[in-house]
Amino acid sequence: MGELEMEKHVRYILTIEKKKDDFVSLVIEHLRINGAYWGLTTLDLLGKIETIDQDEVVSWVMKCQDESGGFAGNIGHDPHILYTLSAVQILALLDKLDVLDIDKVSNYVAGLQNEDGSFSGDIWGEVDTRFSYIAICCLSILRRLEKINVEKAVDFVVRCKNLDGGFGSTPGGESHAGQIFCCVGALALTGSLHHIDRDLLGWWLCERQVKSGGLNGRPEKLPDVCYSWWVLSSLVMIDRVHWIDKEKLARFILDCQDKENGGISDRPDDAVDVFHTYFGVAGLSLLEYPGVKAIDPAYALPVDVVNKIIFKK
Amino acid sequence: MDSDEDERIPFSQRPEWSDIKPVPQDDGPNPVVPIAYHEDFRETMDYFRAVYLADERTPRSLRLTSEAIAMNAGNYTVWHFRRLILETLNTDLHEEFDFIENIAKSNSKNYQIWHHRRWVAEKMGTEATNMELKFTRKILSLDAKNYHAWSHRQWVLQALGGWEDELDYCLQLLEEDIYNNSAWNQRYFVITRSPLLGGLPAMRESEVRYTIEVILLNPDNESPWRYLRGLYKGDAEALVGDPQVSCLCMKVLSVRGNTFALNLLLDLLCHGLQPNGELKSVVEGLTNSESDSIDPSLAIKVCSLLETLDPMRSNYWAWRKVTLPSHTKAI
Ligand SMILES: [Zn+2]
């Protein structure tokens, strides 16, 4: 088995951060803040967060905040709950939450809760269990969970549970590993994991491992490095991660590395990107790969960050 | 717009835009390098920022958002502004559907497009029902597992109606690909939620029959096995009480070992199934290790078989073995 090319991945992240001159970085201009979260978390997991200019990042993040209190994907864009979580996670990562007007941000997030307990992503009202997780995670980091109706929020997530033990985006929606991560995360952060049949869901999740060792997100789909995170973190949260073949999964992730230029792709030999680089490294972190910092499966932040900020350890 | 893409005239050379001063993206403190963005796109976005900041909700701004979206359908702010313009101008929404359809052809997994489509359909109401069902069918004919298309379709059925042909549609998709888990999920959605079918109690018998037939043709297909359990709403006693279920396990296992059949059989045993001699001998036939034939418990044999058949999840099966309820150890 190959090794994790830590230094090359660090270099890869640092160069894409500088490279704003190609079309790809241009089209993701509007979600740069998500990219920043993926890149910075990866650097921290690899122990290299100090290589970036943190003050520059913080001042840029704060420029993405809108009057509403929410954050946009970049300066001058519109706020959305997706970007707001990334902004809060970045500030937590850099231990700079004190620059935030916590009530303003948390009011924005709490204002997106609907009557039935679900959350919209923005003022246009799209509903998805992804947003339930994001709202709950964001408010947990800000320690303002009391601003929403947690009971109703949990009820909505539970209504999206399927008979296979998994969860979909809305009631009746097909079980999907990404949505399962969001729903399990939302339930974990609100102390509501008793709503999950751990054995049933655990079995569904471990059935996601295919012959190559990789994980897919739904039956009969191809394995993909990003599911290493979604499936694995869910398994960790319900304490069933020992049901899969961890060694084979680690090998699959390592096979997706670009060993020359750094970065990790979705499947072996595909082109690398920052998204899959983050999910690959985060997956290896959950697999306790030596040299990679531990990540918290629910907050999606390094454990030491969570301890410091949330548990004040 | 597709046709004249190659001969795009820059905004700076279009007379109707001469009054606008483009606004470049503010890349934050110390933009690292002078940005040499893809020129057309950069220019379009610079003009977009100008009309957006001026909150200019005019037909030309609407056309500008069309161009910007065609170049990058993922930009959230452009869609957001487009809706504001559509609301202000009170535009004919039929045209909007054509626009979305064009964009969706190459971006069928983009959240923004689907969200926008939902917004337009919601505004239009039941008049949009057939159009939406047809549209999702078209997208699903290209990718039968497109999660966005399925979510949209479920929303249409629940919000606008159109359930009449849905079960037939599921059947058709399953005939095309019996492994399509999305179609199985939709089938469950229809039989449990359609106001026309009487719900699960009315549908169970025929659905069980159909599912068993499908499993016997393709025992390695994960989806119908889960669907079958779903038909009993995860009620293990109901599963145990239906002889068709244990009979199915036996039929599948009499051909060869199969993890889904063994797993279901294991659950049946855990919930009190009393295995008959025939079932026991079928499992016996699959076992070749002598060590297990010493232990007479059928459930233990099943666990051991699963450990060998599915080594990747051997920890799961080993866990099942040690957590077997005591009553299973006597049979
Ligand atoms: Zn992926």
Side-chain angles (χ1 to χ4, degrees), chain A residues 111-185:
Chain A
L112 294 168
Q113 189 171 30
N114 301 309
E115 233 347 270
D116 63 357
S118 67
F119 282 83
S120 298
D122 62 15
I123 56 163
W124 295 101
E126 187 189 5
V127 167
D128 187 320
T129 45
R130 286 184 307 146
F131 306 147
S132 299
Y133 164 73
I134 290 171
I136 287 168
C137 185
C138 209
L139 294 174
S140 301
I141 295 173
L142 300 173
R143 305 166 73 98
R144 289 291 185 281
L145 211 49
E146 73 278 2
K147 290 205 172 185
I148 56 165
N149 186 329
V150 174
E151 201 185 321
K152 277 189 162 185
V154 167
D155 274 356
F156 179 76
V157 170
V158 172
R159 280 178 53 212
C160 298
K161 185 163 70 170
N162 292 316
L163 281 162
D164 55 21
F167 294 83
S169 61
T170 46
E174 184 184 2
S175 293
H176 178 291
Q179 307 291 152
I180 291 174
F181 160 73
C182 291
C183 294
V184 175

Side-chain angles (χ1 to χ4, degrees), chain B residues 108-146:
Chain B
S108 68
K109 292 198 174 157
N110 173 303
Y111 280 102
Q112 295 301 327
I113 292 172
W114 289 99
H115 177 211
H116 189 69
R117 181 99 192 176
R118 162 108 44 117
W119 180 79
V120 178
E122 204 160 15
K123 274 187 130 25
M124 214 171 223
T126 48
E127 197 196 324
T129 312
N130 286 331
M131 203 163 28
E132 291 316 275
L133 292 176
K134 243 173 79 185
F135 173 68
T136 44
R137 251 181 208 253
K138 201 187 250 175
I139 300 290
L140 292 170
S141 70
L142 305 171
D143 171 11
K145 297 175 185 173
N146 184 312

Side-chain angles (χ1 to χ4, degrees), chain B residues 161-322:
Chain B
W163 293 94
E164 295 76 12
D165 301 325
E166 200 60 13
L167 194 57
D168 284 344
Y169 179 51
C170 294
L171 188 64
Q172 179 203 320
L173 286 178
L174 289 173
E175 273 168 5
E176 284 162 21
D177 174 15
I178 200 68
Y179 288 87
N180 182 349
N181 192 59
S182 305
W184 282 103
N185 185 69
Q186 184 72 355
R187 192 175 176 106
Y188 195 77
F189 180 80
V190 177
I191 62 158
T192 52
R193 292 172 195 249
S194 165
L196 312 174
L197 297 175
L200 192 51
M203 297 300 292
R204 182 178 289 134
E205 207 185 309
S206 56
E207 287 302 289
V208 168
R209 212 179 311 124
Y210 170 75
T211 311
I212 287 177
E213 239 169 68
V214 168
I215 291 176
L216 287 171
L217 286 172
N218 285 290
D220 291 326
N221 186 356
E222 177 179 348
S223 304
W225 286 102
R226 292 196 192 276
Y227 187 80
L228 184 66
R229 289 166 180 266
L231 292 174
Y232 297 88
K233 293 203 95 171
D235 177 354
E237 287 187 7
L239 264 171
V240 175
D242 189 339
Q244 294 180 90
V245 177
S246 51
C247 180
L248 168 69
C249 294
M250 197 176 68
K251 275 190 190 157
V252 170
L253 294 174
S254 64
V255 181
R256 65 188 159 90
N258 171 293
T259 53
F260 300 113
L262 286 166
N263 191 14
L264 183 54
L265 175 59
L266 184 58
D267 287 346
L268 295 176
L269 290 169
C270 289
H271 287 94
L273 176 80
Q274 296 297 317
N276 57 26
E278 203 179 346
L279 188 58
K280 279 184 183 164
S281 68
V282 165
V283 174
E284 206 76 56
L286 294 167
T287 323
N288 47 16
S289 84
E290 297 86 41
S291 60
D292 276 327
S293 49
I294 301 163
D295 194 317
S297 160
L298 187 62
I300 290 180
K301 279 189 187 121
V302 170
C303 289
S304 303
L305 273 169
L306 281 162
E307 279 182 80
T308 10
L309 272 175
D310 188 18
M312 205 150 46
R313 281 164 280 271
S314 59
N315 287 341
Y316 173 68
W317 304 120
W319 173 81
R320 291 294 305 261
K321 196 189 241 173
V322 297

Side-chain angles (χ1 to χ4, degrees), chain A residues 5-310:
Chain A
E5 301 282 353
M6 300 209 194
E7 265 161 49
K8 282 178 180 155
H9 298 321
V10 169
R11 212 177 320 134
Y12 166 74
I13 302 270
L14 293 173
T15 50
I16 47 167
E17 208 267 319
K18 300 273 177 243
K19 202 166 67 186
K20 294 179 181 169
D21 59 349
D22 60 8
F23 187 68
V24 179
S25 70
L26 178 61
V27 298
I28 63 159
E29 158 207 299
H30 60 279
L31 48 81
R32 179 155 289 152
I33 208 158
N34 294 148
Y37 159 73
W38 297 321
L40 292 168
T41 309
T42 308
L43 287 179
D44 195 25
L45 291 175
L46 297 174
K48 286 284 159 40
I49 192 78
E50 72 285 352
T51 51
I52 52 125
D53 181 342
Q54 307 200 358
D55 292 339
E56 191 183 341
V57 174
V58 172
S59 89
W60 171 74
V61 167
M62 292 310 290
K63 282 194 177 177
C64 296
Q65 192 174 21
D66 175 81
E67 290 162 8
S68 61
F71 283 79
N74 203 341
I75 298 168
H77 290 242
D78 283 307
H80 193 286
I81 199 169
L82 280 165
Y83 309 130
T84 305
L85 176 62
S86 284
V88 168
Q89 283 171 320
I90 291 169
L91 295 173
L93 196 64
L94 303 177
D95 199 10
K96 291 280 167 41
L97 283 173
D98 51 345
V99 305
L100 275 182
D101 179 340
I102 304 261
D103 280 310
K104 197 169 182 190
V105 185
S106 49
N107 285 342
Y108 167 81
V109 174
L112 294 168
Q113 189 171 30
N114 301 309
E115 233 347 270
D116 63 357
S118 67
F119 282 83
S120 298
D122 62 15
I123 56 163
W124 295 101
E126 187 189 5
V127 167
D128 187 320
T129 45
R130 286 184 307 146
F131 306 147
S132 299
Y133 164 73
I134 290 171
I136 287 168
C137 185
C138 209
L139 294 174
S140 301
I141 295 173
L142 300 173
R143 305 166 73 98
R144 289 291 185 281
L145 211 49
E146 73 278 2
K147 290 205 172 185
I148 56 165
N149 186 329
V150 174
E151 201 185 321
K152 277 189 162 185
V154 167
D155 274 356
F156 179 76
V157 170
V158 172
R159 280 178 53 212
C160 298
K161 185 163 70 170
N162 292 316
L163 281 162
D164 55 21
F167 294 83
S169 61
T170 46
E174 184 184 2
S175 293
H176 178 291
Q179 307 291 152
I180 291 174
F181 160 73
C182 291
C183 294
V184 175
L187 296 176
L189 292 171
T190 52
S192 313
L193 282 175
H194 57 277
H195 288 290
I196 293 177
D197 181 338
R198 293 177 188 226
D199 297 338
L200 183 64
L201 175 59
W203 177 51
W204 189 92
L205 288 167
C206 74
E207 283 287 332
R208 305 282 56 81
Q209 190 163 34
V210 300
K211 285 210 175 68
S212 64
L215 302 166
N216 63 18
R218 285 185 272 167
E220 298 298 322
K221 299 281 278 188
L222 291 171
D224 183 327
V225 160
C226 57
Y227 292 108
S228 312
W229 170 258
W230 286 316
V231 174
L232 211 49
S233 56
S234 305
L235 281 168
V236 173
M237 286 188 273
I238 62 169
D239 194 20
R240 295 293 181 271
V241 73
H242 51 285
W243 284 356
I244 60 160
D245 188 329
K246 297 201 229 175
E247 212 169 288
K248 266 189 121 169
L249 175 59
R251 204 172 314 138
F252 176 81
I253 299 174
L254 293 170
D255 283 345
C256 295
Q257 300 179 98
D258 179 336
K259 298 205 140 200
E260 248 156 66
N261 304 308
I264 299 175
S265 56
D266 56 352
R267 278 181 280 285
D269 303 322
D270 279 358
V272 302
D273 59 60
V274 63
F275 177 79
H276 288 95
T277 305
Y278 160 70
F279 284 116
V281 172
L284 290 170
S285 163
L286 291 175
L287 293 168
E288 296 166 18
Y289 192 91
V292 181
K293 272 170 72 173
I295 190 165
D296 183 283
Y299 287 100
L301 285 170
V303 168
D304 60 348
V305 171
V306 175
N307 283 340
K308 193 158 60 187
I309 284 159
I310 291 128

Side-chain angles (χ1 to χ4, degrees), chain B residues 74-100:
Chain B
N75 190 315
Y76 170 72
T77 298
V78 179
W79 285 105
H80 163 89
F81 190 50
R82 185 176 178 89
R83 284 191 284 276
L84 292 176
I85 300 170
L86 289 169
E87 274 183 339
T88 305
L89 300 180
N90 223 341
T91 318
D92 176 12
L93 293 175
H94 289 92
E95 283 170 32
E96 195 60 10
F97 281 122
D98 296 338
F99 169 72
I100 300 168

